[in-house]
Amino acid sequence: MSTPFSMEWKMITEGREKRINAEDNIFEITFDGYKIFPMEEMIEIKRHLDADLIGSGKVVELIFKNQQTTCKYQLISLYSVN
């Protein structure tokens, strides 16, 4: 049986991200299913699909386990705090 995955070019957090390293602005978020993001490339980060950008970041680590994707990313530029 094949496992579906999706390739994402922007990250929609729905406010579920957790800061894991304040010094380097590293965040972690877990998605249901398997999602692939470009590694070490700038991507858009948004709270909701129809919301304005939060900022831009780089994915630094992806973990695929138990039908979930855990993504660690570094927030590089912040456009808005809300």
Side-chain angles (χ1 to χ4, degrees), residues 4-5 31-35 64 67-69:
F5 72 92
F31 298 101
D32 290 332
Y34 296 126
K35 296 179 182 279
F64 305 107
Q67 301 293 319
Q68 292 184 321
T69 302

Side-chain angles (χ1 to χ4, degrees), residues 42 54-57 74-79:
M42 294 293 282
I54 295 171
S56 297
Q74 182 178 27
L75 188 63
I76 302 294
S77 62
L78 182 66
Y79 299 133

Side-chain angles (χ1 to χ4, degrees), residues 7-65:
M7 181 71 174
E8 306 288 336
W9 296 97
K10 62 179 133 186
M11 187 176 301
I12 311 299
T13 67
E14 300 292 339
R16 296 177 291 133
E17 70 277 10
K18 296 181 285 188
R19 184 185 300 259
I20 59 172
N21 183 324
E23 185 175 306
D24 293 326
N25 278 333
I26 303 291
F27 292 81
E28 181 178 270
I29 185 167
T30 300
F31 298 101
D32 290 332
Y34 296 126
K35 296 179 182 279
I36 298 175
F37 295 91
M39 300 288 292
E40 300 295 330
E41 296 289 328
M42 294 293 282
I43 61 169
E44 297 177 351
I45 300 173
K46 299 172 110 181
R47 283 239 197 265
H48 304 285
L49 188 58
D50 59 349
D52 291 335
L53 287 176
I54 295 171
S56 297
K58 290 183 182 181
V59 174
V60 295
E61 183 177 3
L62 290 172
I63 300 169
F64 305 107
K65 186 176 180 180

